[in-house]
Amino acid sequence: MKKNMGSADKIIRFILAIIFVALYFTGTVTGTLGIVLLVLAGVFVLTSLVSFCPLYAPFGLTCKTSVE
């Protein structure tokens, strides 16, 4: 699995995950939308940790800078 995410993309996903979790646990977003945001937050954290986004692969998207 070749890495296809840069550091800026990883940081943005991680920040969004924190926001989604905070919205859910403060009760701002509840119900089905809240659960969807929690799942999306989990996916964002996972893809940030492994530096690979499966949705980028079919479209040939990669980070424009060097990815180690």
Side-chain angles (χ1 to χ4, degrees):
M1 186 165 51
K2 186 177 179 183
K3 295 181 180 181
N4 64 359
M5 289 175 55
S7 59
D9 195 8
K10 291 190 291 187
I11 292 169
I12 291 169
R13 286 172 184 254
F14 194 73
I15 290 171
L16 283 174
I18 292 170
I19 291 170
F20 292 165
V21 169
L23 286 173
Y24 180 78
F25 285 112
T26 59
T28 305
V29 179
T30 59
T32 305
L33 181 60
I35 300 298
V36 169
L37 285 180
L38 277 181
V39 170
L40 191 57
V43 170
F44 280 176
V45 169
L46 180 64
T47 56
S48 293
L49 291 176
V50 296
S51 299
F52 180 78
C53 179
L55 291 177
Y56 285 0
F59 300 108
L61 298 174
T62 59
C63 178
K64 300 296 182 202
T65 61
S66 173
V67 178
E68 297 176 13

